């Protein structure tokens, strides 16, 4: 018998599984990450503020929130202000007082949300846009008609030469490139008003005091004077005229006493 050849068994090779490479994270720009962080921090702060009832450093009070009836009262106050303004102008006894001086100094002492837009427009036309500001003006019948319209919000009178000098030296300024600049350098005055013969602050004071030919140019050069808030008791908040024990209206030469307390 012939020997049988040994059978060779085929050995299957183990299959190698393909291993997937791990995918990298999506790239997020640093700017977006910072925005997300800031947004999350802001949301957390607002949540805490709502829980504590605290909006920043200033605590929100219930009294600061306007209710619908507050808007109604404010609207009515403005309408009443307009009616009274028209009545003051039409009254026979409210005719302009005799002009005792060519120069008037006007101070706005009141007026916030209770003013009618027409009243505010008159005040703005005289550069009295905020309380405790003062301006010089030439005394004319037209000026006193304006002052009658805004009488509950202003007081005025005839300033002395000393009051004019003290106000200009201490509070006088002009506007250069949108910024207030005090009148500490006569070169500023000479450059603006030298063509009118006004070269220094003394010339400026003299032109205002005597209401000279170039008074209008000087007023355009000067900004409205920002006065100090008077001490308690000086102004009592009454809208009656000064002659009736109030704060407003014509004080004549008594305006100098108020200027001393507010300069």
């Amino acid at each position: 018998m012939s020997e049988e050849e040994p059978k060779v068994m085929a050995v299957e090779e183990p299959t190698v599984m393909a291993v997937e490479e791990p995918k990298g994270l999506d790239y997020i720009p640093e700017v977006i990450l910072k925005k997300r962080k800031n947004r999350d921090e802001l949301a957390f702060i607002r949540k805490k503020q709502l829980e504590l009832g605290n909006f920043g450093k200033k605590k929100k009070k219930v009294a600061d929130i306007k209710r619908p009836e507050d808007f109604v009262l404010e609207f009515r106050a403005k309408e009443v202000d307009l009616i009274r303004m028209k009545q003051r102008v039409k009254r026979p006894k409210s005719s302009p007082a005799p002009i005792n001086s060519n120069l008037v100094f006007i101070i706005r002492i009141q007026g916030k949300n209770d003013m009618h837009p027409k009243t505010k427009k008159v005040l703005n036309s005289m550069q009295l846009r905020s309380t405790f500001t003062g301006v010089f003006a030439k005394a004319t019948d037209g000026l006193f008609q304006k002052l009658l319209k805004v009488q509950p919000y202003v007081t005025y009178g005839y300033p002395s030469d000393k009051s004019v000098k003290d106000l200009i030296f201490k509070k006088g300024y002009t506007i250069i490139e949108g910024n207030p600049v005090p009148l500490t350098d006569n070169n500023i005055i000479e450059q603006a008003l030298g063509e009118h013969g006004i070269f220094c602050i003394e010339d400026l004071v003299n032109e205002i005091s005597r209401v000279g030919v170039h008074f209008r140019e000087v007023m355009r050069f000067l900004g409205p004077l920002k006065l100090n808030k008077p001490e308690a008791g000086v102004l009592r908040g009454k809208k009656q005229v000064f002659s009736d024990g109030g704060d407003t209206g014509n004080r004549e030469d008594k305006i100098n006493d108020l200027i001393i307390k507010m300069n």
Side-chain angles (χ1 to χ4, degrees):
M1 289 181 65
S2 60
E3 295 181 357
E4 296 180 356
E5 294 181 357
K7 294 180 179 181
V8 178
M9 301 293 291
V11 180
E12 296 180 357
E13 295 182 359
T15 58
V16 179
M17 300 293 291
V19 180
E20 295 182 358
E21 295 183 0
K23 294 182 178 179
L25 297 175
D26 294 336
Y27 173 73
I28 301 176
E30 184 179 359
V31 176
I32 296 178
L33 292 174
K34 286 183 178 180
K35 285 183 178 179
R36 286 181 183 176
K37 182 180 178 183
N38 294 336
R39 181 187 61 196
D40 294 341
E41 289 178 353
L42 184 60
F44 177 77
I45 292 171
R46 285 179 177 172
K47 182 181 178 182
K48 288 296 181 183
Q49 288 175 341
L50 289 171
E51 291 175 356
L52 300 174
N54 183 23
F55 295 83
K57 294 183 179 180
K58 185 179 179 181
K59 191 172 182 180
K60 190 77 172 179
K61 297 180 181 179
V62 178
D64 295 335
I65 302 173
K66 279 192 174 182
R67 298 170 294 178
E69 51 265 36
D70 295 331
F71 289 99
V72 174
L73 291 173
E74 185 176 312
F75 174 79
R76 288 178 178 173
K78 290 179 180 179
E79 291 302 309
V80 170
D81 178 56
L82 177 62
I83 293 169
R84 288 178 177 172
M85 180 181 73
K86 292 179 178 178
Q87 289 174 344
R88 284 193 301 272
V89 176
K90 289 181 180 179
R91 282 179 201 158
K93 66 177 183 179
S94 65
S95 57
I99 298 175
N100 299 328
S101 171
N102 289 330
L103 182 65
V104 179
F105 187 67
I106 312 162
I107 305 173
R108 177 174 169 180
I109 56 175
Q110 296 187 52
K112 291 185 180 178
N113 297 328
D114 58 343
M115 290 191 303
H116 192 273
K118 288 187 177 180
T119 306
K120 190 178 292 186
K121 185 177 180 180
V122 176
L123 288 170
N124 290 346
S125 70
M126 294 189 289
Q127 294 188 318
L128 298 171
R129 293 180 174 83
S130 59
T131 53
F132 307 127
T133 55
V135 293
F136 294 102
K138 184 178 180 180
T140 62
D141 290 340
L143 173 67
F144 284 105
Q145 285 292 339
K146 273 188 176 183
L147 292 174
L148 276 177
K149 293 180 180 180
V150 296
Q151 186 171 271
Y153 309 104
V154 298
T155 188
Y156 54 93
Y158 309 115
S160 63
D161 292 345
K162 183 179 183 304
S163 293
V164 175
K165 182 178 180 180
D166 291 344
L167 283 168
I168 296 301
F169 271 79
K170 193 170 182 180
K171 302 291 186 182
Y173 71 95
T174 188
I175 302 295
I176 298 178
E177 296 182 355
N179 299 314
V181 178
L183 303 179
T184 54
D185 188 354
N186 287 329
N187 289 326
I188 298 173
I189 300 172
E190 184 177 356
Q191 288 176 7
L193 300 171
E195 59 181 327
H196 304 302
I198 301 171
F199 302 102
C200 61
I201 194 167
E202 287 81 6
D203 294 339
L204 194 74
V205 170
N206 184 51
E207 188 71 15
I208 295 172
S209 296
R210 63 185 181 88
V211 190
V213 178
H214 303 292
F215 178 81
R216 181 177 295 182
E217 287 79 5
V218 171
M219 289 301 99
R220 289 175 181 170
F221 170 74
L222 282 176
L225 306 180
K226 299 177 181 179
L227 306 176
N228 300 325
K229 183 178 179 179
E231 296 180 358
V234 176
L235 296 175
R236 290 158 287 183
K238 295 182 179 181
K239 290 187 177 181
Q240 287 86 0
V241 294
F242 181 73
S243 57
D244 293 340
D247 295 326
T248 68
N250 194 352
R251 295 175 179 246
E252 298 187 356
D253 59 348
K254 296 291 181 62
I255 193 69
N256 295 294
D257 299 332
L258 185 59
I259 289 173
I260 292 172
K261 295 173 182 176
M262 298 182 69
N263 191 11

